[in-house]
Amino acid sequence: MEPVIEAIDLGKCYQRRGVGAPTLMSRLAHMGKSTVHEPFWALRNVNFSIPRGTTVGVVGPNGSGKSSMLGLAAGTIHPTEGRIITRGRISSLLELGAGFHPDLSGRENVFLNAAVLGIPREDIARRMDAIVEFAGLKDFIDTPVKHYSSGMYVRLGFAVAVEMNPDILLIDEVLAVGDVAFQMKCFDRLNEFKKQGKTILLVTHDLVAVEQFCNEVKLIHEGSLVAEGAPADVVMEYLKRYMTRIGQLNVEEHGTRDVEFTQVALLDENGKEGTSFETGKALVVDIRYRAKKRIEKPVFGYSIKTGNGFFIYGTNTQLMKVDIDAVEGEGSFQLRIEPLSLMAGKYFLSLSAHSWDHETQYHRLEDWYPFAVTSPSADLGVFQLPTKWTLPRPD
Amino acid sequence: MNHLHDIMERRDLLWNLTVRELKIRYRNSALGFLWTLLIPLFMGLIYMFFLRLMAGRGVPMSEIIIGVFAWQFTVTSVNSGLHSITGNTNLVKKVYMPRIILPLAATLANLINYLLSLIVQFPLVAFLLYLQGEFISPMAVALPLVLILHFILNYGIALLLAAGNVHFRDLEHLIGVILSAWFFISPVMYNLSFIERVAADHPILLDLYMMNPMAIICTAYRAIILPHVSFPWTGLIWISIAGCGLLYVLADRIFSRQQKNFADML
């Protein structure tokens, strides 16, 4: 099938220079001299094609070029080299409430915003009540939007935006705003778009959403497309490469290194190395270490946090009364978690080696190993608690 | 002209942005649209007394009113055109649309404003003429022609400044100076009789003076509305009128060429 969005050797270059637009004086001052601006490639040599009806997530660290890519697809910015071809009516939701004017009432802004987004006036007039209802602004629709809270502002913007009927929808992080109920509404609406066979390009930091919602994910870093493919794989790749450097996780390595972890592999129950594991099966951590000198009674520990930094479990050899007399030179051991009772999600594994009295930290790898868990069952939560039901019995 | 298709496709947006301009202008002010009338009227009065004081002779009030209202249209177009891109950063960066709609909406809003003010200006001028036992000239039916020329001039300037201001923010300061210079070399508070006296010995001066499109436009308004004013059809006038068209074509080119970079520069 013909792709609806196609990038061919796409590149966008910005000139790095002082703050703001050049002034006449600075132009005059540099006249005759060839000014050397440092070029900055926000995006370069990007090639991809997106078939009709797919939902594609774009992930990557801040400043990686995600928004430039959307801007290029939307046509708000122009490529420096290569080209991007789009087929069909595009709506871009790069910002909710684009064109809203603070002095105009909610109702006036609805019409204005609709015109900006290319929604026919008749459609909006007909759907006005539904829009107001959806935004939950019945009593405030004739109030100037400068008196709105930021939540109200965004809700109204979104209520208008969902009235769009494009072939291609570009969304930039806008769904990150608003409360949980609002976000659920957003995703409901996006699912509807999906069902209608629309193509969606979604830039977001919400990796859970990406995985649930997208058919395909592209990972962008420093202006290049570094990975693309199935959401679970690309998200994992992303976490492994970059996510660990930022966020609420505290990725760091410290310790005296008298004992250090030299090689760590996460294995499944068949001994196959991977980063994705299944609830109820085994997670085996294969650890190689090196001790520079003889260390008496070392303690090894591990802990697991969720992707957003919530500590969920930790233990060590001391607590579990696995006494290790001493380590010296190189060696290996295994940590076996079976059954893995974590539910589907992203997790981070930390490892540590310290002295019996906790005085000396030999080596600590904090939030060092990301892994994913998939669950075959539909139950919810972080943990799968061993659960049994009895059948109801009349008294 | 090559944008006509794009603009027609988004005429809904064009209209909404035009209405937004007008609504915002008068929102929160008690007198609202009245300001559009009051400002030129006050200015007219000030100019009239000032001129009597300085030059020792005056210009009929009706001529000043016509000049000041027309000048007001140009000044507001220049100022709103100047900010039409830089003042709508959000729309330029976050939404795809033909950017030319922004300066066009700004100029259209000012045109509508001007047309509304003409509704008041005409009876006022008619009344002033009536006091002298005169009537509005039947030539006034040619008003649309002058309006078109005036609009093309203002729109061309707005396009040029909108694109220019993205690159050189100095324009915002420079424009104030240029406008006041332009005001004095345009027959707004005076009329051509002041120039004709100076140009009596050197007719070329009048030709040069009429190269200024605002000299043509202000004089043309007066000539078609007022029975006692005639239009000096010197040979160079056509060049100047063609110049307005050329300015527009050029400004349109420059704007189209520059607009790709707007989102990067803002």
Side-chain angles (χ1 to χ4, degrees), chain A residues 12 14 17 21-24 27 74-77 94-95 98-99 101 103 108 112 115-116 118 121 146, chain B residues 10 12-13 16 20 23-24 27-28 90-96 99 166-168 170 260 263-265:
Chain A
K12 177 69 188 173
Y14 291 97
R17 64 181 147 216
T23 62
L24 201 55
R27 278 284 164 97
T76 53
I77 55 175
L94 307 191
E95 185 167 278
H101 196 283
D103 281 334
E108 288 168 318
L112 183 62
V116 167
R121 192 179 175 83
K146 65 180 167 192
Chain B
R10 300 301 300 271
D12 214 27
L13 176 60
N16 270 284
R20 181 182 79 160
K23 276 184 178 168
I24 295 164
R27 195 59 50 110
N28 298 332
N90 244 0
L91 287 182
V92 174
K93 289 181 90 121
K94 299 287 187 180
V95 185
Y96 175 73
R99 271 77 180 251
V166 175
H167 292 271
F168 307 106
D170 306 59
K260 303 186 190 151
D264 301 347
M265 302 285 296

Side-chain angles (χ1 to χ4, degrees), chain B residues 35-55:
Chain B
W35 281 116
T36 297
L37 305 171
L38 289 176
I39 290 171
L41 288 177
F42 284 144
M43 296 310 262
L45 280 173
I46 293 167
Y47 296 152
M48 197 172 68
F49 285 115
F50 173 77
L51 206 63
R52 286 252 158 86
L53 212 66
M54 299 296 288

Side-chain angles (χ1 to χ4, degrees), chain B residues 126-165:
Chain B
F127 174 71
L128 290 169
L129 287 174
Y130 173 77
L131 292 181
Q132 270 134 36
E134 287 180 307
F135 296 99
I136 284 186
S137 157
M139 278 293 286
V141 294
L143 184 73
L145 289 180
V146 187
L147 276 174
I148 288 169
L149 181 66
H150 198 176
F151 179 80
I152 288 175
L153 173 70
N154 288 350
Y155 179 44
I157 296 172
L159 279 178
L160 211 55
L161 294 180
N165 199 28

Side-chain angles (χ1 to χ4, degrees), chain B residues 77-254:
Chain B
S77 297
V78 164
N79 283 325
S80 57
L82 185 68
H83 296 108
S84 60
I85 297 295
T86 48
N88 284 303
T89 312
N90 244 0
L91 287 182
V92 174
K93 289 181 90 121
K94 299 287 187 180
V95 185
Y96 175 73
M97 58 163 160
R99 271 77 180 251
I100 205 149
I101 283 183
L102 290 167
L104 180 57
T107 319
L108 271 182
N110 288 315
L111 176 69
I112 291 171
N113 219 24
Y114 180 47
L115 290 176
L116 291 173
S117 73
L118 285 183
I119 295 175
V120 180
Q121 185 200 307
F122 264 75
L124 192 62
V125 170
F127 174 71
L128 290 169
L129 287 174
Y130 173 77
L131 292 181
Q132 270 134 36
E134 287 180 307
F135 296 99
I136 284 186
S137 157
M139 278 293 286
V141 294
L143 184 73
L145 289 180
V146 187
L147 276 174
I148 288 169
L149 181 66
H150 198 176
F151 179 80
I152 288 175
L153 173 70
N154 288 350
Y155 179 44
I157 296 172
L159 279 178
L160 211 55
L161 294 180
N165 199 28
V166 175
H167 292 271
F168 307 106
R169 295 296 166 92
D170 306 59
L171 272 181
E172 299 187 6
H173 309 284
L174 211 56
I175 278 303
V177 181
I178 292 173
L179 275 178
S180 35
W182 197 13
F183 173 77
F184 284 108
I185 61 165
S186 302
V188 178
M189 64 170 179
Y190 56 88
N191 61 20
L192 278 193
S193 70
F194 281 69
I195 301 303
E196 278 159 351
R197 193 196 285 174
V198 180
D201 301 329
H202 308 281
I204 185 76
L205 281 181
L206 184 65
D207 279 338
L208 280 176
Y209 183 80
M210 292 304 276
M211 293 288 278
N212 170 9
M214 275 316 278
I216 295 176
I217 289 166
C218 287
T219 310
Y221 277 127
R222 287 168 182 158
I224 60 168
I225 297 171
L226 304 174
H228 60 266
V229 179
S230 60
F231 192 78
W233 288 103
T234 65
L236 291 176
I237 276 182
W238 290 109
I239 298 177
S240 183
I241 290 174
C244 290
L246 196 69
L247 172 77
Y248 160 67
V249 172
L250 216 69
D252 185 276
R253 275 278 173 79
I254 291 172

Side-chain angles (χ1 to χ4, degrees), chain A residues 105-213:
Chain A
S105 74
R107 190 184 302 276
E108 288 168 318
N109 271 312
V110 165
F111 282 108
L112 183 62
N113 187 222
V116 167
L117 297 173
I119 308 169
R121 192 179 175 83
E122 312 81 71
D123 290 12
I124 283 296
R126 190 159 34 79
R127 299 270 303 150
M128 193 68 195
D129 289 340
I131 291 168
V132 176
E133 181 75 37
F134 187 90
L137 289 171
K138 223 174 187 122
D139 299 328
F140 302 98
I141 196 64
D142 291 309
T143 309
V145 299
K146 65 180 167 192
H147 299 307
Y148 281 20
S149 71
S150 53
M152 290 158 82
Y153 191 94
V154 164
R155 288 207 304 271
L156 188 61
F158 188 78
V160 180
V162 297
E163 299 294 327
M164 293 188 294
N165 189 22
D167 304 317
I168 304 168
L169 183 63
L170 310 171
I171 305 174
D172 189 4
E173 206 55 90
V174 288
L175 305 181
V177 293
D179 54 22
V180 178
F182 176 73
Q183 286 193 16
M184 301 273 279
K185 270 187 185 175
C186 296
F187 277 106
D188 280 352
R189 181 62 199 176
L190 288 185
N191 272 318
E192 250 172 74
F193 270 127
K194 253 180 99 165
K195 269 189 220 134
Q196 291 162 10
K198 316 246 184 223
T199 311
I200 303 174
L201 193 58
L202 172 76
V203 165
T204 182
H205 286 295
D206 183 350
L207 298 178
V208 178
V210 161
E211 225 170 307
Q212 283 174 354
F213 188 68

